[in-house]
């Protein structure tokens, strides 16, 4: 597969069983994301955006079709292979930050590094770099409860980039923020794309967020309906 | 281990719950420690030590045993009459003499129970005292006290606590008004204090003093002997080197025609205690097979309860950890680790704490059955704490941690649209 393509979703279907009936959320969906692209995904609630992100992040397996990230067909990996793969190759940014409330900003960002064979000094250096990138060098020892929503989301982004993954997926990263904080987070994501050459896939309901993406896809009833180049 | 700090910090998330779980664990481990100490102590007392066996000679048919002192001389020889007979290597006679300092009123504060014996047997035959290291200060002071008691027949050695309760110290004199030897009231002088905690409540006197007093009773009463005159020996202990010689000595004594009225029997000390404990067999069975297991199960449930509540609250968090790349096994380690940390630390603190408080501060727990005045918590309790705390925590948290590591990320973050 071409080195230029970072994510390739190939004729993927995904259905969930609810009781006896089976609901098809994604049906035969195909999608390619070139390396370094900032892709926006929009669509009504329940259209399957999170489901698609979960497949790209290897958090769930497609019912049919295949998902490639880089040179790896992740839809064929086992659960623990996927876990190890995610630590090194993928950063996930959540709408509600999902930081561990008992840990400081520093310790939250350090979490994924605990899974890698790094010395304490190497971990420290990577954590400080990541927190510096998101502009929180002065909040290392604050706990999530002591940070604003925007600051929490920056910690969330620092945690997503601390292992230096090639791809970052974000599920409504500004969904819970006021306009000003949202703007800052979007600037930060753009920087990650332009300066660190990360591939970003972002789900959003927010038109302003969508306008920052290189390319915008609409998902409706499990299918891509319209493509807009910015 | 990098996860340890994470585990530790998670415990502080809900301080009250962690503290309550820990307190529950401590109480239950404490009770288990006591139960196991008692059972272990009794098991030890009823198990034969293969060398250096003490044989107990007592009256065959009557409890309490009361034999004539005339039996002493030949019993000490193991009733050996033939050259090929086996003789005990050491011996002692036991006579129990009890009384109060106030003839009209007996209270815990004014009674004394003394073993009347040949003083030097305190050094060679008494459990615990015969094993004092030769150059220890306790041994030295006991030797001094024994020498005094041999010279001064009217002396008494008091256990530490008994002396304190009676408010008597070395040099004090007082009269004991006996309740098992009517009208044989003996004036005694405190010559020393018995060492070791075991004899805290005991007292020891020279047997010659009591025997002499019973003789003079006869003279004062126109040749009419005291009622107890032929009943002054409660037990004889014989030391034999091994089980084989025990069997032979026992056979010699039981076959001898000298001990007919009353007849005697020979047992090992532990057999004697076993017989005695048979009365408590149901109680001990219940302690071993009902109480102790019930506590362990309760403990596992206490921990299971706390951990499963905390796991349920943290579903999302476990899902997030999975997204970050934590494998199911690692999440399981985090949850098990929390339970184990709390269980092991509380267990060790509780068991070690009871060891310290019972042995070091309280000086043993009174256990008023059989011969033993007090029992101690074995040093093994530290291990029990670790094993009970850790083991029950593991059992209790196994299922919750399994639930935690099976969390399905896509379900936790699914929102029904
Ligand atoms: N694990 C699951 N089990 C059953 N149904 C699921 C599961 N995950 C998602 N669904 C269903 O799939 C459909 C799409 O869900 P998804 O979360 O992908 O939507 P979405 O586009 O992200 O919506 P929103 O904008 O509200 O976040 C929904 O109807 C949802 O109920
Ligand atoms: Mg969604």
């Amino acid at each position: 597969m071409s080195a230029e393509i970072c994510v390739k979703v190939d004729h993927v279907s995904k259905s969930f069983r609810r009781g006896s009936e089976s609901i098809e959320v994604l049906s035969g969906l195909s999608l390619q994301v070139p390396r370094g692209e900032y892709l926006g995904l929009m669509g009504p609630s329940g259209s399957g955006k999170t489901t698609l992100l979960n497949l790209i992040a290897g958090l769930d397996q497609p019912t049919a079709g295949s998902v490639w990230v880089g040179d790896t067909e992740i839809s064929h990996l086992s659960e623990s292979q996927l876990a190890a793969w995610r630590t090194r190759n993928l950063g996930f940014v959540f709408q509600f930050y999902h930081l561990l409330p008992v840990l400081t900003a520093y310790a939250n960002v350090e979490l994924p590094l605990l899974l890698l064979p790094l010395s304490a000094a190497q971990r420290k250096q990577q954590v400080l770099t990541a927190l510096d990138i998101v502009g929180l060098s002065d909040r290392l020892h604050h706990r999530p409860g002591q940070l604003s929503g925007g600051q929490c989301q920056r910690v969330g982004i620092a945690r997503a980039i601390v292992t230096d993954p090639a791809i970052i997926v974000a599920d409504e990263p500004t969904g819970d923020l006021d306009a000003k904080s949202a703007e800052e987070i979007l600037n930060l994501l753009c920087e990650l794309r332009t300066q660190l050459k990360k591939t970003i896939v972002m789900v959003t309901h927010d038109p302003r967020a969508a306008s920052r993406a290189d390319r915008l896809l609409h998902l409706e009833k499990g299918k891509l309906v319209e493509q807009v180049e910015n | 281990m990098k996860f340890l700090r994470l585990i530790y910090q998670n415990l502080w998330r809900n301080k009250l719950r962690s503290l309550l779980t820990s307190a529950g664990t401590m109480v239950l481990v404490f009770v288990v420690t006591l139960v196991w100490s008692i059972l272990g102590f009794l098991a030890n007392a009823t198990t034969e030590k293969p060398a250096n066996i003490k044989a107990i000679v007592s009256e065959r048919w009557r409890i309490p045993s009361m034999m004539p002192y005339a039996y002493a001389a030949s019993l000490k020889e193991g009733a050996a009459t033939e050259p090929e007979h086996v003789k005990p290597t050491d011996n002692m006679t036991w006579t129990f003499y009890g009384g109060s300092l106030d003839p009209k009123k007996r209270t815990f504060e004014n009674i004394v129970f003394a073993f009347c014996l040949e003083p030097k047997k305190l050094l060679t035959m008494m459990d615990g005292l015969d094993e004092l290291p030769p150059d220890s200060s306790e041994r030295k002071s006991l030797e001094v006290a024994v020498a005094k008691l041999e010279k001064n027949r009217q002396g008494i050695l008091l256990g530490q606590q008994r002396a304190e309760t009676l408010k008597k110290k070395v040099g004090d004199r007082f009269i004991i008004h006996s309740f098992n030897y009517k009208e044989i009231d003996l004036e005694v002088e405190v010559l020393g204090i018995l060492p070791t905690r075991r004899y805290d409540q005991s007292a020891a006197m020279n047997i010659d003093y009591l025997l002499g007093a019973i003789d003079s009773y006869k003279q004062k009463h126109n040749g009419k002997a005291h009622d107890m005159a032929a009943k002054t020996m409660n037990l004889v202990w014989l030391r034999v080197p091994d089980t084989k010689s025990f069997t032979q000595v026992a056979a010699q004594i039981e076959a001898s025609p000298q001990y007919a009225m009353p007849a005697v029997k020979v047992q090992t000390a532990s057999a004697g205690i076993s017989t005695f404990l048979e009365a408590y067999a149901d109680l001990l069975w219940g302690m071993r097979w009902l109480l102790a297991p019930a506590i362990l199960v309760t403990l596992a449930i206490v921990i299971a309860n706390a951990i499963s509540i905390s796991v349920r609250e943290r579903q999302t968090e476990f899902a997030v950890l999975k997204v970050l790349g934590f494998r199911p096994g690692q999440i399981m380690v985090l949850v098990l680790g929390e339970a184990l940390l709390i269980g092991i630390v509380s267990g060790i603190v509780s068991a070690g704490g009871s060891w310290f408080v019972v042995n070091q501060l309280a000086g043993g727990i009174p256990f008023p059955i059989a011969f033993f005045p007090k029992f101690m918590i074995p040093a093994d309790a530290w291990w029990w704490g670790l094993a009970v705390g850790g083991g029950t925590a593991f059992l209790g948290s196994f299922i919750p941690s399994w639930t935690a590591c099976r969390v399905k990320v896509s379900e936790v973050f699914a929102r029904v649209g």
Side-chain angles (χ1 to χ4, degrees):
Chain A
M1 123 182 247
S2 154
E4 289 309 298
I5 300 299
C6 182
V7 180
K8 183 174 151 202
V9 177
D10 197 16
H11 294 96
V12 157
S13 299
K14 175 72 186 173
S15 37
F16 291 107
R17 201 173 294 282
R18 203 179 286 159
S20 57
E21 54 172 334
S22 160
I23 309 162
E24 180 146 271
V25 178
L26 301 178
S27 32
L29 185 146
S30 293
L31 162 72
Q32 297 198 350
V33 186
R35 191 169 300 281
E37 186 181 56
Y38 183 173
L39 174 73
L41 271 178
M42 293 189 85
S45 192
S47 55
K49 304 182 296 294
T50 300
T51 305
L52 178 58
L53 272 198
N54 284 346
L55 292 178
I56 294 173
L59 294 169
D60 213 346
Q61 301 284 6
T63 318
S66 61
V67 179
W68 291 76
V69 175
D71 292 332
T72 318
E73 184 179 0
I74 61 165
S75 44
H76 274 176
L77 298 180
S78 71
E79 186 175 356
S80 58
Q81 285 172 322
L82 277 173
W85 172 83
R86 261 197 309 278
T87 310
R88 291 173 188 274
N89 298 290
L90 184 127
F92 207 112
V93 180
F94 301 89
Q95 174 178 358
F96 299 107
Y97 335 126
H98 289 314
L99 304 176
L100 267 57
V102 283
L103 301 182
T104 61
Y106 182 96
N108 265 291
V109 175
E110 192 186 22
L111 270 180
L113 297 180
L114 297 180
L115 300 169
L116 299 176
L118 297 175
S119 70
Q122 287 169 315
R123 289 205 302 269
K124 181 170 184 182
Q125 210 220 306
Q126 281 184 239
V127 173
L128 294 179
T129 310
L131 281 166
D132 185 44
I133 291 173
V134 301
L136 279 182
S137 297
D138 54 344
R139 292 285 188 280
L140 301 184
H141 301 297
H142 288 55
R143 283 169 209 275
Q146 302 162 318
L147 297 171
S148 71
Q151 287 170 328
C152 282
Q153 192 57 295
R154 288 170 198 233
V155 177
I157 291 173
R159 182 178 65 185
I161 61 173
V162 73
T163 60
D164 197 23
I167 168 165
I168 292 177
V169 296
D171 197 349
E172 298 180 40
T174 58
D176 202 43
L177 297 176
D178 60 78
K180 183 166 168 292
S181 308
E183 192 64 29
E184 287 166 8
I185 293 297
L186 292 170
N187 290 340
L188 184 55
L189 287 173
C190 280
E191 268 172 47
L192 296 182
R193 137 114 170 73
T194 51
Q195 288 172 23
L196 301 175
K197 310 271 181 273
K198 303 285 181 205
T199 307
I200 301 178
V201 179
M202 175 181 71
V203 166
T204 185
H205 281 296
D206 175 1
R208 267 174 314 153
S211 68
R212 307 287 287 268
D214 300 335
R215 182 162 63 117
L216 199 56
L217 295 179
H218 277 267
L219 200 59
E220 220 149 285
K221 301 209 177 114
K223 291 201 164 76
L224 292 171
V225 289
E226 158 193 4
Q227 306 205 357
V228 181
E229 299 283 342
N230 273 340
Chain B
M1 168 120 164
K2 291 180 276 191
F3 286 176
L4 202 59
R5 213 185 66 207
L6 203 55
I7 291 171
Y8 176 77
Q9 276 163 325
N10 268 323
L11 282 179
W12 290 106
R13 171 191 311 260
N14 191 326
K15 288 194 194 73
L16 183 64
R17 186 191 304 143
S18 296
L19 287 177
L20 287 177
T21 310
S22 167
T25 307
M26 288 193 194
V27 170
L28 294 173
V29 168
F30 173 69
V31 179
V32 171
T33 305
L34 284 191
V35 168
W36 284 359
S37 294
I38 292 171
L39 292 174
F41 177 74
L42 295 180
N44 189 30
T46 52
T47 315
E48 215 64 66
K49 290 167 200 76
N52 257 329
I53 299 171
K54 276 175 189 157
I56 301 177
V57 187
S58 59
E59 209 179 320
R60 179 171 282 274
W61 305 117
R62 190 170 49 179
I63 294 175
S65 152
M66 293 183 282
M67 299 174 285
Y69 211 86
Y71 280 10
S74 58
L75 278 179
K76 286 176 181 175
E77 300 294 311
T81 49
E82 307 297 327
E84 70 273 16
H85 278 173
V86 175
K87 290 185 181 179
T89 54
D90 201 353
N91 61 73
M92 86 183 274
T93 62
W94 288 84
T95 301
F96 301 114
Y97 175 82
S100 71
L101 273 56
D102 179 341
K104 292 192 273 301
K105 200 174 70 182
R106 267 181 231 167
T107 64
F108 176 76
E109 280 73 32
N110 69 15
I111 56 170
V112 190
F113 281 102
F115 321 129
C116 301
L117 38 68
E118 293 172 66
K120 62 177 188 293
K121 298 303 181 185
L122 283 171
L123 297 166
T124 60
M125 285 296 285
M126 290 288 275
D127 290 342
L129 300 183
D130 55 356
E131 285 156 4
L132 289 173
D135 47 355
S136 65
S137 62
E138 287 179 322
R139 172 79 187 187
K140 294 237 166 70
S141 72
L142 181 63
E143 281 170 3
V144 171
V146 164
K148 285 189 194 161
L149 190 58
E150 291 204 308
K151 245 193 296 168
N152 179 357
R153 303 197 323 181
Q154 306 198 357
I156 190 168
L157 309 182
L158 290 175
Q160 179 79 43
Q161 287 188 2
R162 195 38 30 197
E164 281 164 18
T165 313
L166 295 174
K167 301 197 178 65
K168 298 295 175 199
K169 53 185 192 313
V170 174
D172 288 354
R173 300 182 72 90
F174 54 89
I175 295 175
I176 304 174
H177 303 274
S178 177
F179 32 77
N180 61 340
Y181 288 85
K182 286 264 163 339
E183 293 175 54
I184 308 287
D185 297 341
L186 301 177
E187 180 176 11
V188 293
E189 177 182 346
V190 183
L191 298 179
I193 297 297
L194 284 173
T196 82
R197 290 252 153 83
R198 184 170 179 153
Y199 296 104
D200 261 356
Q201 292 290 357
S202 310
M205 291 168 62
N206 191 326
I207 181 64
D208 291 344
Y209 187 23
L210 177 66
L211 295 180
I214 289 175
D215 279 348
S216 41
Y217 177 95
K218 186 174 176 181
Q219 284 157 26
K220 273 186 238 156
H221 290 76
N222 307 321
K224 182 181 167 295
H226 188 270
D227 286 350
M228 294 288 285
K231 299 177 174 178
T232 47
M233 189 168 69
N234 300 102
L235 299 173
V236 176
W237 277 10
L238 303 175
R239 193 191 286 282
V240 288
D242 49 41
T243 10
K244 189 160 156 269
S245 31
F246 168 78
T247 324
Q248 287 181 359
V249 167
Q252 286 161 207
I253 293 175
E254 288 180 357
S256 169
Q258 309 174 61
Y259 318 115
M261 284 294 287
V264 300
K265 66 176 175 192
V266 188
Q267 290 179 300
T268 59
S270 37
I273 296 172
S274 298
T275 316
F276 183 85
L277 288 179
E278 262 157 36
Y280 298 87
D282 290 345
L283 179 71
L284 296 175
W285 186 91
M287 277 168 77
R288 185 187 303 270
W289 298 113
L290 297 177
L291 184 59
I295 294 170
L296 296 184
V297 170
T298 311
L299 188 46
I301 292 173
V302 165
I303 293 183
N305 182 46
I307 295 290
S308 42
I309 293 175
S310 119
V311 163
R312 196 159 326 132
E313 286 172 355
R314 285 192 279 159
Q315 293 281 332
T316 315
E317 225 165 86
F318 295 128
V320 171
L321 290 178
K322 280 200 168 177
V323 172
L324 298 182
F326 281 68
R327 276 178 278 122
Q330 292 170 316
I331 290 178
M332 202 158 169
V333 165
L334 288 179
V335 178
L336 280 178
E338 268 178 49
L340 285 177
L341 188 66
I342 217 171
I344 289 178
V345 170
S346 318
I348 292 182
V349 166
S350 168
S354 23
W355 175 85
F356 181 76
V357 171
V358 168
N359 293 11
Q360 311 301 123
L361 300 185
I365 294 185
F367 194 71
I369 63 173
F371 292 64
F372 4 87
K374 294 219 164 155
F375 82 96
M376 302 286 175
I377 304 234
D380 281 346
W382 292 89
W383 288 107
W384 299 348
L386 186 139
V388 170
T392 50
F394 183 81
L395 289 179
S397 63
F398 191 79
I399 292 174
S401 70
W402 182 254
T403 321
C405 82
R406 293 325 314 167
V407 158
K408 286 219 65 175
V409 179
S410 62
E411 282 170 17
V412 172
F413 293 122
R415 283 186 293 145
V416 179

